[in-house]
Amino acid sequence: MEIVCIDKQTFDELRARFCKLEEKMAGVCRPMEDSGLKNWIDNQEVCGILRISKKTLQVYRDKGILPFSRIKHKIFFKPDDVKKLLESNYHPLKRKS
């Protein structure tokens, strides 16, 4: 076994560089945080959630009832927008006294 002696300043510089490298590697190796892209849902999922046909969903888009995003020919919706649509049309049960 070989022992190498270095002065304190060199050791501290080497340690600082190693810590920076460690931080960079942790950033690279860490799974990417979800930027919300996984939360978008497509036509089929929305139709299933709302129990409506694709044609009815088309009408909702055309009338601006449900916001959407289109990439080429694929249409996506935010789950929050679908939830807002459901909540805005909620009619609580009225009990007769």
Side-chain angles (χ1 to χ4, degrees):
M1 178 155 115
E2 186 177 345
I3 298 175
V4 178
C5 294
I6 58 173
D7 61 278
K8 182 175 179 2
Q9 183 182 357
T10 305
F11 176 77
D12 289 341
E13 288 175 9
L14 184 62
R15 185 172 172 264
R17 286 185 178 185
F18 182 76
C19 287
K20 285 182 184 178
L21 177 64
E22 184 181 28
E23 287 174 11
K24 286 183 181 180
M25 291 304 297
V28 169
C29 295
R30 180 181 56 228
M32 290 186 61
E33 295 176 10
D34 182 15
S35 58
L37 298 177
K38 292 181 181 177
N39 292 334
W40 290 77
I41 55 180
D42 63 8
N43 272 348
Q44 186 175 355
E45 291 175 282
V46 174
C47 288
I49 291 167
L50 298 178
R51 295 186 180 142
I52 58 174
S53 68
K54 289 183 179 181
K55 181 64 180 167
T56 302
L57 186 56
Q58 174 73 44
V59 171
Y60 288 2
R61 288 195 318 260
D62 292 344
K63 290 185 175 184
I65 296 172
L66 188 58
F68 66 96
S69 182
R70 181 190 320 250
I71 299 175
K72 293 191 179 185
H73 299 291
K74 186 82 173 167
I75 297 174
F76 299 94
F77 301 86
K78 287 184 177 181
D80 289 342
D81 292 334
V82 176
K83 184 178 177 182
K84 285 177 189 173
L85 176 64
L86 284 170
E87 288 175 353
S88 68
N89 288 288
Y90 178 69
H91 300 284
L93 195 62
K94 294 181 182 178
R95 294 183 181 214
K96 296 181 181 179
S97 297

